[in-house]
Amino acid sequence: MATEQDKQLKRTGRMTLYVHRYMRNPGAVFGLVLLIVLTFFSIFGKYLTHWSYSDLDYMALGAPPSAQHWLGTTPGGSDLYAMICRGLGRSLSIGIISSIGNTIIAAIVGTAIAYFRGWFEKVGMWLLDMLLVVPSFLLIAMMVRGASGTSSWLWLVFGLTVFGWIGYARVLRTLTLSLRELEYVRAAQFMGVGSFRIIIRHLIPNLGSVLIINTVLGVVSAVNSETSLSFLGLGIKAPDTSLGTLLTDGQSVILTQPWVLVFPAIVLILLTFSMQLIGDGMRDAIDPYSRSGGKAE
């Protein structure tokens, strides 16, 4: 009887369990759908109009929304719909690439500092403390300011990646302090497994849930940083554009041409809102004490 019952039981994998718990959260599902819609809009939205983000319509300078220009035009005559498609795609690219880069660097450095004890750990923590006081915002602005318009976003990604992992590495180092004392880590050391292999195969995978959540939330942080720099005129440069650049253009004409500011602001709010819902949903799905898991029957 026990054997037959065991055969009827189906073992649920960890990832399958996470997906089921995530899909039980209506807010998280809504955030995922919203992000997918925004992503498709940034990729394929440009094919729905004959205007390009670089085209100028000198017959419609600062024109309100119309059949010719669905979301109106900027004071320079650029089609706002095409500009938002381009700006959203650029902001998403910057946020995703820099967030993934920050996660990879922080995971390797943070776990390595915790794993190699003694002088290596002390020196590593000292370096992290020193890097935390570096004026990263100013240095990133200087790097982007010296770049050309077509490569400014690459320099912005580079700057956000170089300076964005430091605080995250300190958090991962603290979490790794308990993992390095576990039996399987000691067994791997006893068997002569290399230190780098232990870090990659044993320590970092056990931080996978934290890494995934912080990668998602890191996209929001990177997009906000890009928007702030571009809003101050220290980010993306013409002829390229981003949501921050569009907000900068709109704040100077908000009284006479409010659509130039309102529509990019709405898109930015929707983007950050969707990523926040996804991050909260993933945290609830991975947390074993979360109520989103439902009850076992």
Side-chain angles (χ1 to χ4, degrees), residues 32-296:
L32 181 61
V33 172
L34 182 58
L35 178 62
I36 293 174
V37 171
L38 291 175
T39 303
F40 272 84
F41 173 74
S42 65
I43 298 174
F44 303 106
K46 60 184 179 181
Y47 298 111
L48 300 179
T49 178
H50 63 278
W51 293 101
S52 173
Y53 76 97
S54 58
D55 293 339
L56 298 177
D57 187 357
Y58 295 105
M59 301 301 295
L61 301 179
S66 62
Q68 184 71 10
H69 299 281
W70 298 341
L71 300 182
T73 62
T74 64
S78 299
D79 184 75
L80 189 58
Y81 173 86
M83 294 284 284
I84 291 178
C85 290
R86 175 72 175 188
L88 176 60
R90 184 60 75 211
S91 296
L92 273 175
S93 300
I94 294 172
I96 293 174
I97 295 174
S98 61
S99 180
I100 293 176
N102 289 333
T103 301
I104 294 174
I105 298 174
I108 296 175
V109 175
T111 53
I113 291 176
Y115 179 78
F116 296 106
R117 314 178 189 191
W119 67 269
F120 188 92
E121 185 175 7
K122 293 180 180 179
V123 173
M125 290 303 299
W126 178 80
L127 289 175
L128 289 181
D129 292 337
M130 292 298 102
L131 290 174
L132 282 175
V133 301
V134 173
S136 58
F137 191 88
L138 177 61
L139 294 178
I140 295 174
M142 292 175 61
M143 286 190 295
V144 178
R145 188 176 182 84
S148 61
T150 56
S151 63
S152 58
W153 77 276
L154 295 175
W155 282 101
L156 184 55
V157 170
F158 177 76
L160 293 175
T161 304
V162 168
F163 297 104
W165 60 271
I166 303 170
Y168 190 18
R170 289 178 58 89
V171 176
L172 294 178
R173 177 256 177 188
T174 303
L175 297 176
T176 309
L177 292 177
S178 59
L179 295 178
R180 72 183 185 183
E181 305 296 337
L182 297 179
E183 294 181 356
Y184 65 86
V185 176
R186 293 183 175 274
Q189 294 172 343
F190 180 77
M191 295 173 62
V193 179
S195 300
F196 184 75
R197 191 172 183 181
I198 292 176
I199 293 173
I200 298 299
R201 295 193 59 182
H202 297 291
L203 295 180
I204 293 181
N206 279 276
L207 297 172
S209 59
V210 179
L211 296 176
I212 293 174
I213 293 172
N214 282 275
T215 300
V216 174
L217 298 180
V219 175
V220 179
S221 178
V223 170
N224 289 334
S225 298
E226 178 274 323
T227 303
S228 301
L229 286 166
S230 298
F231 185 80
L232 296 175
L234 302 173
I236 302 299
K237 298 180 180 180
D240 207 348
T241 187
S242 68
L243 294 179
T245 305
L246 293 175
L247 292 176
T248 303
D249 296 337
Q251 59 91 21
S252 60
V253 294
I254 185 173
L255 296 179
T256 58
Q257 302 165 14
W259 56 87
V260 181
L261 177 66
V262 171
F263 290 123
I266 292 175
V267 173
L268 178 61
I269 292 172
L270 292 177
L271 175 60
T272 55
F273 181 62
S274 65
M275 297 301 298
Q276 190 67 41
L277 289 177
I278 292 173
D280 292 341
M282 295 183 69
R283 180 166 46 243
D284 291 341
I286 295 173
D287 183 7
Y289 300 102
S290 173
R291 296 181 180 178
S292 66
K295 296 181 179 180

